[in-house]
Amino acid sequence: SRLAPLLFVALCACSALPDKGSVAAENARAIGHETTLDRILGEAEDANPGQSGFRLVGEGPEALAVRLHTAELAERSIDVQTYIWNADLTGLFLAHALIGAADRGVRVRLLLDDLNARAKNYALAALDQHPNISVRLFNPVVSRQGALPLVGEWITDGRRLNRRMHNKMWIVDNRIAIGGGRNLGNEYFGASEGANFVDLDLAMVGSVVRQASASFDAYWNAGAAYPVALLNPGAVNEDALQGLRERLAETASDARSSEYASALRGDGAVQRLIQGDWAAEWTDDYRFVSDDPDKVFRDPSPELSNVLAALVPALDAAEDSIRIISPYFVPGRGGTDYLVGHGGRIAEVSILTNSLAANDVVAVHGGYSKYRADLLRGGVQLWELKPVPGVDASWFGSSGASLHTKALSMDGKQLFVGSYNLDPRSTSLNSEQGVLVRSETLTAEFETLFAAQTSGNRAWKVTLDEEGLRWSDGSEQFDRDPQASAGKRFVAWLTRWLPVEPQL
């Protein structure tokens, strides 16, 4: 019996990913003139030569609607890259829409990080059975079911499995792309009956879409991306696909009759989108940036972050203001000193992050909290999101809120939106992407969102006096993390002292 644990670990250590030698490279379908999106968006591109169009998508219902509406319009291809895809109302409804597109002859490629996807292995394998749908999993585990094999692989190969693909992108006909902070699931679209995420996407048209497609192709063809049919060939079969079709058809029927669907139909922004009233800000001053997918094979280092490399010069060039929203904010000593340096140089450095009560990853708050006082002493302003949305929030059925937006602005002129958190994990461990765009119009929209989210009914402002930290919303003041449970306080306190910051 004493040998059993050692035998278990030894068996897991012998497992290996399959040979990818026969997997052919695939690339995005070239744009043309024959599809509906070619005609509509091609005309817009021709009217704005050398530029790309951008639109902020802040509300969850609009973010879901733009994905569903573009899937309905797709005639050539849909490429989806995501970190999380939940098997809930909106997640399954999106899958139903993608099968519908594939049934019309649209080529669908789905690239998911395997940390979350493994639990949905059989549904993903069923999708792969469709002749027009291909599913690949990024940095997968070898075992496709069972807790013990998974634990064994983490014990023997945890260094590799700790590296994740955090990118999010939805690309249709190589003509329109939606990317930013959102994963696919109820809480990202304002459809959860519990807490919903405050999130942000950029919808994009023009040449930037082809850059996003090139990034998708790099990940799709990367050494870490494995076809699900290689990982679990027995699960890719016609019976599984038919069973999934029946489940998705039932889910789609439930979704159409849900309170969320009713709210979606009545949403003004959604209706304008469906009717084609969809304004975009056009500019040639932008940069799409994505980490190298092989980042996950290399020793962790900030130098591997292409996203950080693009952001630092933009931050250094700021002359008046920097406003940052980062839900998982762990600046570390170097990042704290960097932000404090800017706090002493320009008029305003403001940061909004999750409060301890609102944070869904408590350990991250512990990593952030030990730098709060230094940031405040250095002239950086801090706000922390409340766990309950304000009275003017529009999340449907929400009893709570948590920040998930990853964005920042400089001088009211330049804006970044992406998947990148200001923390060690995004910088050195995970792969990330985003768009840096110069536009006073888009930046003003973001800063309006920032002002709303830092108002007293949405967030506490954190300050420092001779007696310590203070939290205030203008009507109440606290001398410790507000509304946080004893359990959360303990985990956050413990994380401050454990040597885990590089993992946060």
Side-chain angles (χ1 to χ4, degrees):
S1 60
R2 293 180 181 179
L3 293 177
L6 295 176
L7 179 60
F8 165 69
V9 172
L11 288 172
C12 292
C14 293
S15 62
L17 289 166
D19 180 21
K20 285 186 61 183
S22 60
V23 177
E26 295 178 351
N27 294 307
R29 295 275 173 87
I31 59 172
H33 304 284
E34 66 277 7
T35 74
T36 300
L37 289 175
D38 283 333
R39 293 189 291 273
I40 296 172
L41 300 179
E43 289 180 5
E45 288 188 41
D46 292 342
N48 298 275
Q51 297 184 318
S52 289
F54 301 88
R55 176 187 175 93
L56 282 182
V57 183
E59 292 294 337
E62 183 182 7
L64 177 63
V66 72
R67 288 167 170 84
L68 290 172
H69 189 50
T70 54
E72 291 174 357
L73 292 174
E75 297 177 52
R76 183 168 46 239
S77 63
I78 302 176
D79 292 332
V80 180
Q81 183 177 13
T82 189
Y83 178 60
I84 291 173
W85 193 333
N86 290 334
D88 54 19
L89 184 75
T90 59
L92 293 174
F93 198 48
L94 286 166
H96 178 73
L98 293 175
I99 283 187
D103 287 344
R104 300 193 308 269
V106 176
R107 186 187 74 172
V108 178
R109 296 188 294 174
L110 308 178
L111 178 60
L112 292 81
D113 183 85
D114 198 42
L115 184 67
N116 177 265
R118 181 181 181 270
K120 307 166 187 67
N121 176 73
Y122 288 99
L124 293 169
L127 284 171
D128 194 71
Q129 172 65 25
H130 195 294
N132 290 326
I133 300 178
S134 298
V135 179
R136 294 188 182 182
L137 303 176
F138 195 86
N139 203 18
V141 296
V142 178
S143 64
R144 303 315 301 162
Q145 62 179 329
L148 287 178
L150 180 62
V151 171
E153 285 192 61
W154 273 94
I155 291 172
T156 59
D157 200 14
R159 185 176 180 276
R160 175 181 69 85
L161 296 178
N162 191 36
R163 315 295 291 277
R164 308 314 319 169
M165 182 193 74
H166 197 234
N167 312 45
K168 295 103 172 171
M169 190 60 64
W170 178 285
I171 308 169
V172 178
D173 283 357
N174 212 357
R175 283 291 190 180
I176 184 168
I178 304 102
R182 281 186 177 89
N183 294 297
L184 306 180
N186 286 354
E187 60 267 39
Y188 302 98
F189 299 119
S192 173
E193 295 181 358
N196 283 295
F197 284 118
V198 180
D199 221 325
L200 190 64
D201 287 326
L202 267 178
M204 300 166 277
V205 296
S207 58
V208 66
V209 178
R210 266 67 81 191
Q211 296 174 33
S213 288
S215 173
F216 181 94
D217 288 345
Y219 278 84
W220 183 258
N221 297 314
Y226 282 75
V228 69
L230 269 183
L231 296 168
N232 195 1
V236 181
N237 60 73
E238 192 60 42
D239 287 344
L241 176 59
Q242 183 57 35
L244 181 62
R245 281 184 181 276
E246 293 171 1
R247 181 187 178 193
L248 293 178
E250 182 179 346
T251 299
S253 177
D254 293 342
R256 293 189 187 98
S257 61
S258 69
E259 291 183 14
Y260 180 76
S262 177
L264 200 65
R265 288 190 289 270
D267 187 279
V270 170
Q271 292 308 309
R272 289 193 297 274
L273 166 69
I274 294 171
Q275 294 163 11
D277 180 10
W278 197 79
E281 179 72 10
W282 291 83
T283 177
D284 62 358
D285 196 346
Y286 68 89
R287 181 179 177 186
F288 179 91
V289 59
S290 179
D291 288 338
D292 186 330
D294 287 343
K295 176 183 180 181
V296 299
F297 295 132
R298 298 173 184 162
D299 291 336
S301 169
E303 295 180 356
L304 296 177
S305 176
N306 294 340
V307 177
L308 181 61
L311 288 177
V312 167
L315 292 167
D316 288 346
E319 297 177 346
D320 178 64
S321 65
I322 295 171
R323 296 183 177 94
I324 298 171
I325 300 180
S326 183
Y328 311 119
F329 176 56
V330 185
R333 175 48 51 197
T336 298
D337 292 343
Y338 178 80
L339 291 168
V340 166
H342 286 298
R345 181 180 66 83
I346 62 179
E348 179 188 349
V349 177
S350 298
I351 298 171
L352 170 65
T353 190
N354 275 311
S355 65
L356 177 55
N359 206 317
D360 65 323
V361 185
V362 178
V364 168
H365 191 87
Y368 145 71
S369 63
K370 60 185 175 183
Y371 298 105
R372 277 187 297 209
D374 288 345
L375 289 164
L376 292 167
R377 289 190 196 97
V380 176
Q381 299 182 63
L382 293 179
W383 282 267
E384 295 179 2
L385 190 80
K386 292 181 176 181
V388 177
V391 294
D392 59 337
S394 60
W395 301 289
F396 296 96
S398 174
S399 61
S402 185
L403 194 64
H404 203 256
T405 301
K406 305 102 164 53
L408 55 92
S409 67
M410 285 73 64
D411 293 344
K413 299 176 182 178
Q414 196 169 20
L415 174 67
F416 171 83
V417 177
S419 65
Y420 177 82
N421 292 295
L422 273 71
D423 62 19
R425 175 160 288 278
S426 283
T427 301
S428 299
L429 294 174
N430 293 347
S431 67
E432 308 284 352
Q433 68 186 36
V435 180
L436 189 63
V437 56
R438 185 173 294 276
S439 165
E440 292 187 12
T441 299
L442 291 173
T443 305
E445 291 179 17
F446 166 74
E447 294 190 345
T448 297
L449 293 173
F450 187 93
Q453 297 299 339
T454 55
S455 63
N457 68 326
R458 302 277 187 92
W460 293 291
K461 185 170 185 180
V462 188
T463 57
L464 183 68
D465 62 26
E466 63 277 2
E467 296 182 4
L469 295 172
R470 297 286 183 267
W471 288 257
S472 175
D473 60 6
S475 59
E476 290 184 282
Q477 182 167 296
F478 305 86
D479 58 7
R480 64 176 187 171
D481 291 285
Q483 298 182 15
S485 67
K488 280 194 168 186
R489 292 182 194 280
F490 174 75
V491 173
W493 171 84
L494 184 64
T495 307
R496 288 171 63 102
W497 302 106
L498 292 175
V500 296
E501 187 173 298
Q503 303 298 315
L504 299 177

CSV table of all heavy atoms in Angstrom, one decimal, residues 327 353-369 372 383-387 401-402 460 462 471 480-493 495-496:
chain,number,residue,atom,x,y,z
A,327,PRO,N,-8.5,44.2,-13.0
A,327,PRO,CA,-9.2,43.4,-11.9
A,327,PRO,C,-8.2,42.7,-11.0
A,327,PRO,O,-8.4,42.6,-9.8
A,327,PRO,CB,-10.1,42.5,-12.7
A,327,PRO,CG,-9.5,42.4,-14.0
A,327,PRO,CD,-8.9,43.7,-14.3
A,353,THR,N,-9.4,48.7,-9.2
A,353,THR,CA,-9.2,47.3,-9.1
A,353,THR,C,-10.3,46.7,-8.2
A,353,THR,O,-11.2,47.5,-7.8
A,353,THR,CB,-7.8,46.9,-8.6
A,353,THR,OG1,-7.6,45.5,-8.8
A,353,THR,CG2,-7.6,47.2,-7.1
A,354,ASN,N,-10.4,45.4,-8.1
A,354,ASN,CA,-11.4,44.8,-7.2
A,354,ASN,C,-11.1,45.1,-5.7
A,354,ASN,O,-9.9,45.0,-5.3
A,354,ASN,CB,-11.5,43.3,-7.5
A,354,ASN,CG,-12.3,43.0,-8.6
A,354,ASN,OD1,-13.5,43.4,-8.7
A,354,ASN,ND2,-11.8,42.1,-9.5
A,355,SER,N,-12.1,45.3,-5.0
A,355,SER,CA,-12.0,45.2,-3.5
A,355,SER,C,-11.8,43.8,-3.1
A,355,SER,O,-12.1,42.9,-3.9
A,355,SER,CB,-13.2,45.8,-2.8
A,355,SER,OG,-14.4,45.0,-3.1
A,356,LEU,N,-11.4,43.6,-1.9
A,356,LEU,CA,-11.3,42.2,-1.3
A,356,LEU,C,-12.7,41.5,-1.4
A,356,LEU,O,-12.8,40.3,-1.8
A,356,LEU,CB,-10.8,42.2,0.1
A,356,LEU,CG,-10.7,40.8,0.8
A,356,LEU,CD1,-9.9,39.9,0.0
A,356,LEU,CD2,-10.2,41.0,2.2
A,357,ALA,N,-13.8,42.2,-1.1
A,357,ALA,CA,-15.1,41.7,-1.1
A,357,ALA,C,-15.6,41.3,-2.5
A,357,ALA,O,-16.3,40.3,-2.7
A,357,ALA,CB,-16.1,42.6,-0.5
A,358,ALA,N,-15.1,42.0,-3.5
A,358,ALA,CA,-15.5,41.8,-4.9
A,358,ALA,C,-14.6,40.8,-5.7
A,358,ALA,O,-15.0,40.3,-6.7
A,358,ALA,CB,-15.6,43.1,-5.7
A,359,ASN,N,-13.4,40.6,-5.2
A,359,ASN,CA,-12.4,39.8,-5.9
A,359,ASN,C,-12.8,38.3,-5.9
A,359,ASN,O,-13.0,37.7,-4.8
A,359,ASN,CB,-11.0,40.0,-5.3
A,359,ASN,CG,-9.9,39.8,-6.3
A,359,ASN,OD1,-9.9,38.9,-7.1
A,359,ASN,ND2,-8.9,40.7,-6.3
A,360,ASP,N,-12.8,37.7,-7.1
A,360,ASP,CA,-13.1,36.3,-7.2
A,360,ASP,C,-11.8,35.5,-7.0
A,360,ASP,O,-11.9,34.2,-7.0
A,360,ASP,CB,-13.8,36.0,-8.5
A,360,ASP,CG,-13.0,36.2,-9.7
A,360,ASP,OD1,-12.2,37.2,-9.7
A,360,ASP,OD2,-13.1,35.4,-10.7
A,361,VAL,N,-10.7,36.1,-6.9
A,361,VAL,CA,-9.4,35.4,-6.7
A,361,VAL,C,-8.7,36.1,-5.5
A,361,VAL,O,-8.0,37.0,-5.6
A,361,VAL,CB,-8.5,35.4,-7.9
A,361,VAL,CG1,-7.2,34.5,-7.6
A,361,VAL,CG2,-9.2,34.9,-9.1
A,362,VAL,N,-9.1,35.6,-4.3
A,362,VAL,CA,-8.7,36.3,-3.1
A,362,VAL,C,-7.1,36.4,-2.9
A,362,VAL,O,-6.6,37.4,-2.4
A,362,VAL,CB,-9.3,35.6,-1.8
A,362,VAL,CG1,-8.9,36.3,-0.6
A,362,VAL,CG2,-10.8,35.6,-2.0
A,363,ALA,N,-6.4,35.4,-3.4
A,363,ALA,CA,-5.0,35.4,-3.2
A,363,ALA,C,-4.4,36.6,-4.0
A,363,ALA,O,-3.4,37.1,-3.5
A,363,ALA,CB,-4.4,34.1,-3.7
A,364,VAL,N,-5.0,36.9,-5.1
A,364,VAL,CA,-4.5,38.1,-5.9
A,364,VAL,C,-4.6,39.3,-5.1
A,364,VAL,O,-3.7,40.2,-5.1
A,364,VAL,CB,-5.2,38.2,-7.2
A,364,VAL,CG1,-5.0,39.5,-7.9
A,364,VAL,CG2,-4.9,37.0,-8.1
A,365,HIS,N,-5.7,39.5,-4.3
A,365,HIS,CA,-5.8,40.7,-3.5
A,365,HIS,C,-4.7,40.7,-2.4
A,365,HIS,O,-4.2,41.8,-2.1
A,365,HIS,CB,-7.2,40.7,-2.8
A,365,HIS,CG,-7.5,42.0,-2.2
A,365,HIS,ND1,-8.1,43.0,-2.8
A,365,HIS,CD2,-7.3,42.4,-0.9
A,365,HIS,CE1,-8.3,44.1,-2.0
A,365,HIS,NE2,-7.8,43.7,-0.8
A,366,GLY,N,-4.4,39.6,-1.9
A,366,GLY,CA,-3.3,39.6,-0.9
A,366,GLY,C,-2.0,40.1,-1.6
A,366,GLY,O,-1.2,40.8,-0.9
A,367,GLY,N,-1.7,39.7,-2.8
A,367,GLY,CA,-0.5,40.1,-3.5
A,367,GLY,C,-0.5,41.6,-3.8
A,367,GLY,O,0.5,42.3,-3.8
A,368,TYR,N,-1.7,42.2,-4.0
A,368,TYR,CA,-1.8,43.6,-4.3
A,368,TYR,C,-1.8,44.4,-3.0
A,368,TYR,O,-1.2,45.5,-3.0
A,368,TYR,CB,-3.2,43.8,-5.0
A,368,TYR,CG,-3.9,45.1,-4.7
A,368,TYR,CD1,-3.4,46.3,-5.1
A,368,TYR,CD2,-5.1,45.1,-4.0
A,368,TYR,CE1,-4.2,47.5,-4.9
A,368,TYR,CE2,-5.8,46.2,-3.8
A,368,TYR,CZ,-5.4,47.4,-4.2
A,368,TYR,OH,-6.1,48.6,-3.9
A,369,SER,N,-2.4,43.9,-1.9
A,369,SER,CA,-2.7,44.8,-0.8
A,369,SER,C,-1.4,45.3,-0.1
A,369,SER,O,-1.4,46.3,0.5
A,369,SER,CB,-3.6,44.0,0.2
A,369,SER,OG,-2.9,42.9,0.7
A,372,ARG,N,-0.4,48.7,-1.4
A,372,ARG,CA,-1.3,49.9,-1.4
A,372,ARG,C,-0.8,51.1,-0.8
A,372,ARG,O,-0.9,52.2,-1.3
A,372,ARG,CB,-2.6,49.5,-0.7
A,372,ARG,CG,-3.6,48.7,-1.5
A,372,ARG,CD,-4.9,48.5,-0.8
A,372,ARG,NE,-4.8,47.7,0.4
A,372,ARG,CZ,-5.8,46.9,0.8
A,372,ARG,NH1,-7.0,46.9,0.2
A,372,ARG,NH2,-5.6,46.2,1.9
A,383,TRP,N,-8.9,53.2,-6.3
A,383,TRP,CA,-10.3,52.8,-6.1
A,383,TRP,C,-10.5,51.3,-6.1
A,383,TRP,O,-9.8,50.7,-6.9
A,383,TRP,CB,-11.2,53.4,-7.1
A,383,TRP,CG,-11.5,54.9,-7.0
A,383,TRP,CD1,-12.6,55.5,-6.3
A,383,TRP,CD2,-10.8,56.0,-7.5
A,383,TRP,NE1,-12.5,56.9,-6.4
A,383,TRP,CE2,-11.4,57.2,-7.1
A,383,TRP,CE3,-9.6,56.1,-8.3
A,383,TRP,CZ2,-10.9,58.4,-7.5
A,383,TRP,CZ3,-9.1,57.3,-8.6
A,383,TRP,CH2,-9.8,58.5,-8.2
A,384,GLU,N,-11.4,50.8,-5.3
A,384,GLU,CA,-11.7,49.4,-5.3
A,384,GLU,C,-13.2,49.2,-5.5
A,384,GLU,O,-14.0,49.8,-4.8
A,384,GLU,CB,-11.2,48.8,-3.9
A,384,GLU,CG,-9.7,48.8,-3.8
A,384,GLU,CD,-9.2,48.2,-2.5
A,384,GLU,OE1,-10.1,47.7,-1.7
A,384,GLU,OE2,-8.0,48.3,-2.2
A,385,LEU,N,-13.5,48.4,-6.4
A,385,LEU,CA,-14.9,48.1,-6.8
A,385,LEU,C,-15.7,47.5,-5.7
A,385,LEU,O,-15.2,46.5,-5.0
A,385,LEU,CB,-15.0,47.2,-8.1
A,385,LEU,CG,-16.4,47.1,-8.7
A,385,LEU,CD1,-16.7,48.3,-9.5
A,385,LEU,CD2,-16.5,45.9,-9.5
A,386,LYS,N,-16.9,47.9,-5.5
A,386,LYS,CA,-17.8,47.3,-4.5
A,386,LYS,C,-18.3,45.9,-5.0
A,386,LYS,O,-18.4,45.7,-6.2
A,386,LYS,CB,-19.0,48.2,-4.2
A,386,LYS,CG,-18.6,49.5,-3.4
A,386,LYS,CD,-19.9,50.3,-3.2
A,386,LYS,CE,-19.6,51.5,-2.3
A,386,LYS,NZ,-20.8,52.3,-2.1
A,387,PRO,N,-18.7,45.0,-4.1
A,387,PRO,CA,-19.2,43.7,-4.6
A,387,PRO,C,-20.6,43.7,-5.1
A,387,PRO,O,-21.1,42.7,-5.6
A,387,PRO,CB,-19.1,42.9,-3.3
A,387,PRO,CG,-19.2,43.8,-2.2
A,387,PRO,CD,-18.6,45.1,-2.6
A,401,ALA,N,-21.3,42.1,-8.2
A,401,ALA,CA,-20.4,42.6,-9.3
A,401,ALA,C,-19.0,42.3,-9.0
A,401,ALA,O,-18.6,42.3,-7.8
A,401,ALA,CB,-20.6,44.1,-9.6
A,402,SER,N,-18.2,42.0,-10.0
A,402,SER,CA,-16.8,41.8,-9.9
A,402,SER,C,-16.1,42.4,-11.2
A,402,SER,O,-16.7,42.3,-12.3
A,402,SER,CB,-16.4,40.4,-9.8
A,402,SER,OG,-15.0,40.2,-9.5
A,460,TRP,N,-15.2,52.1,-3.6
A,460,TRP,CA,-14.6,52.9,-2.5
A,460,TRP,C,-13.3,53.5,-2.9
A,460,TRP,O,-12.5,52.9,-3.6
A,460,TRP,CB,-14.3,51.9,-1.3
A,460,TRP,CG,-15.5,51.4,-0.7
A,460,TRP,CD1,-16.4,52.0,0.1
A,460,TRP,CD2,-15.9,50.0,-0.7
A,460,TRP,NE1,-17.4,51.1,0.5
A,460,TRP,CE2,-17.1,49.9,0.1
A,460,TRP,CE3,-15.4,48.8,-1.3
A,460,TRP,CZ2,-17.8,48.7,0.3
A,460,TRP,CZ3,-16.1,47.6,-1.1
A,460,TRP,CH2,-17.2,47.6,-0.3
A,462,VAL,N,-9.7,54.6,-1.8
A,462,VAL,CA,-8.8,54.2,-0.8
A,462,VAL,C,-7.8,55.4,-0.5
A,462,VAL,O,-7.2,55.9,-1.5
A,462,VAL,CB,-8.0,53.0,-1.1
A,462,VAL,CG1,-7.1,52.5,0.1
A,462,VAL,CG2,-8.9,51.9,-1.6
A,471,TRP,N,-11.2,53.6,3.6
A,471,TRP,CA,-12.0,53.3,2.4
A,471,TRP,C,-13.3,54.2,2.6
A,471,TRP,O,-13.9,54.2,3.6
A,471,TRP,CB,-12.5,51.9,2.3
A,471,TRP,CG,-11.4,50.9,1.9
A,471,TRP,CD1,-11.2,50.3,0.7
A,471,TRP,CD2,-10.3,50.4,2.8
A,471,TRP,NE1,-10.1,49.5,0.8
A,471,TRP,CE2,-9.6,49.5,2.0
A,471,TRP,CE3,-10.0,50.6,4.1
A,471,TRP,CZ2,-8.5,48.8,2.5
A,471,TRP,CZ3,-8.9,49.9,4.6
A,471,TRP,CH2,-8.1,49.0,3.8
A,480,ARG,N,-10.8,49.2,7.5
A,480,ARG,CA,-10.2,47.9,7.0
A,480,ARG,C,-11.1,47.5,5.8
A,480,ARG,O,-12.2,48.1,5.5
A,480,ARG,CB,-10.2,46.8,8.0
A,480,ARG,CG,-11.6,46.4,8.5
A,480,ARG,CD,-11.5,45.2,9.5
A,480,ARG,NE,-12.7,44.7,9.9
A,480,ARG,CZ,-12.9,43.6,10.6
A,480,ARG,NH1,-11.8,42.9,11.0
A,480,ARG,NH2,-14.1,43.1,10.9
A,481,ASP,N,-10.6,46.5,5.0
A,481,ASP,CA,-11.3,46.1,3.8
A,481,ASP,C,-12.8,45.9,4.0
A,481,ASP,O,-13.2,45.1,4.8
A,481,ASP,CB,-10.7,44.8,3.2
A,481,ASP,CG,-9.3,45.0,2.7
A,481,ASP,OD1,-9.1,45.5,1.7
A,481,ASP,OD2,-8.4,44.5,3.5
A,482,PRO,N,-13.7,46.8,3.4
A,482,PRO,CA,-15.1,46.7,3.7
A,482,PRO,C,-15.8,45.5,3.2
A,482,PRO,O,-15.4,44.9,2.1
A,482,PRO,CB,-15.6,48.0,2.9
A,482,PRO,CG,-14.4,48.8,2.5
A,482,PRO,CD,-13.3,47.8,2.4
A,483,GLN,N,-16.8,45.0,3.9
A,483,GLN,CA,-17.7,44.0,3.5
A,483,GLN,C,-17.0,42.6,3.2
A,483,GLN,O,-17.6,41.8,2.6
A,483,GLN,CB,-18.6,44.4,2.4
A,483,GLN,CG,-19.4,45.6,2.7
A,483,GLN,CD,-20.3,46.0,1.5
A,483,GLN,OE1,-20.5,45.3,0.6
A,483,GLN,NE2,-20.9,47.2,1.6
A,484,ALA,N,-15.8,42.5,3.6
A,484,ALA,CA,-15.0,41.2,3.4
A,484,ALA,C,-15.2,40.3,4.5
A,484,ALA,O,-15.2,40.6,5.7
A,484,ALA,CB,-13.6,41.5,3.1
A,485,SER,N,-15.4,39.0,4.2
A,485,SER,CA,-15.6,38.0,5.2
A,485,SER,C,-14.3,37.7,5.9
A,485,SER,O,-13.2,38.0,5.4
A,485,SER,CB,-16.1,36.7,4.6
A,485,SER,OG,-15.1,36.1,3.7
A,486,ALA,N,-14.4,37.0,7.1
A,486,ALA,CA,-13.2,36.7,7.8
A,486,ALA,C,-12.4,35.7,7.0
A,486,ALA,O,-11.1,35.8,7.1
A,486,ALA,CB,-13.6,36.1,9.2
A,487,GLY,N,-13.0,34.8,6.3
A,487,GLY,CA,-12.2,33.9,5.5
A,487,GLY,C,-11.4,34.5,4.4
A,487,GLY,O,-10.3,34.2,4.2
A,488,LYS,N,-12.0,35.5,3.7
A,488,LYS,CA,-11.3,36.2,2.7
A,488,LYS,C,-10.2,37.0,3.3
A,488,LYS,O,-9.1,37.1,2.7
A,488,LYS,CB,-12.3,37.2,2.0
A,488,LYS,CG,-13.1,36.5,0.9
A,488,LYS,CD,-13.8,37.5,0.0
A,488,LYS,CE,-14.4,36.8,-1.2
A,488,LYS,NZ,-14.9,37.8,-2.2
A,489,ARG,N,-10.4,37.6,4.4
A,489,ARG,CA,-9.4,38.4,5.1
A,489,ARG,C,-8.2,37.5,5.4
A,489,ARG,O,-7.0,37.9,5.2
A,489,ARG,CB,-9.9,39.1,6.4
A,489,ARG,CG,-10.9,40.2,6.2
A,489,ARG,CD,-11.3,40.8,7.5
A,489,ARG,NE,-12.5,41.5,7.4
A,489,ARG,CZ,-12.5,42.8,6.9
A,489,ARG,NH1,-11.4,43.4,6.6
A,489,ARG,NH2,-13.7,43.4,6.8
A,490,PHE,N,-8.5,36.3,5.9
A,490,PHE,CA,-7.4,35.4,6.3
A,490,PHE,C,-6.6,35.0,5.1
A,490,PHE,O,-5.3,35.0,5.1
A,490,PHE,CB,-7.9,34.2,7.0
A,490,PHE,CG,-6.9,33.2,7.3
A,490,PHE,CD1,-6.0,33.3,8.4
A,490,PHE,CD2,-6.8,32.0,6.6
A,490,PHE,CE1,-5.0,32.4,8.6
A,490,PHE,CE2,-5.8,31.1,6.8
A,490,PHE,CZ,-4.9,31.3,7.9
A,491,VAL,N,-7.2,34.6,4.0
A,491,VAL,CA,-6.5,34.1,2.8
A,491,VAL,C,-5.7,35.3,2.2
A,491,VAL,O,-4.5,35.1,1.9
A,491,VAL,CB,-7.5,33.6,1.7
A,491,VAL,CG1,-6.8,33.3,0.4
A,491,VAL,CG2,-8.2,32.4,2.3
A,492,ALA,N,-6.2,36.5,2.2
A,492,ALA,CA,-5.5,37.6,1.7
A,492,ALA,C,-4.3,37.9,2.6
A,492,ALA,O,-3.2,38.2,2.1
A,492,ALA,CB,-6.4,38.8,1.6
A,493,TRP,N,-4.5,37.8,3.9
A,493,TRP,CA,-3.3,38.1,4.8
A,493,TRP,C,-2.3,37.0,4.6
A,493,TRP,O,-1.1,37.3,4.6
A,493,TRP,CB,-3.9,38.0,6.3
A,493,TRP,CG,-2.8,38.1,7.3
A,493,TRP,CD1,-2.1,39.1,7.8
A,493,TRP,CD2,-2.2,36.9,7.9
A,493,TRP,NE1,-1.1,38.8,8.7
A,493,TRP,CE2,-1.1,37.4,8.8
A,493,TRP,CE3,-2.4,35.5,7.8
A,493,TRP,CZ2,-0.4,36.5,9.5
A,493,TRP,CZ3,-1.6,34.7,8.6
A,493,TRP,CH2,-0.6,35.2,9.4
A,495,THR,N,-1.6,35.2,2.0
A,495,THR,CA,-0.9,35.4,0.7
A,495,THR,C,0.2,36.5,0.8
A,495,THR,O,1.2,36.4,0.0
A,495,THR,CB,-1.9,35.7,-0.4
A,495,THR,OG1,-3.0,34.7,-0.4
A,495,THR,CG2,-1.3,35.7,-1.8
A,496,ARG,N,0.0,37.5,1.6
A,496,ARG,CA,1.0,38.5,1.7
A,496,ARG,C,2.3,38.0,2.2
A,496,ARG,O,3.4,38.6,1.8
A,496,ARG,CB,0.5,39.6,2.7
A,496,ARG,CG,-0.7,40.5,2.2
A,496,ARG,CD,-1.2,41.3,3.4
A,496,ARG,NE,-0.2,42.2,3.9
A,496,ARG,CZ,-0.2,43.5,3.6
A,496,ARG,NH1,-1.1,44.0,2.8
A,496,ARG,NH2,0.8,44.3,4.1
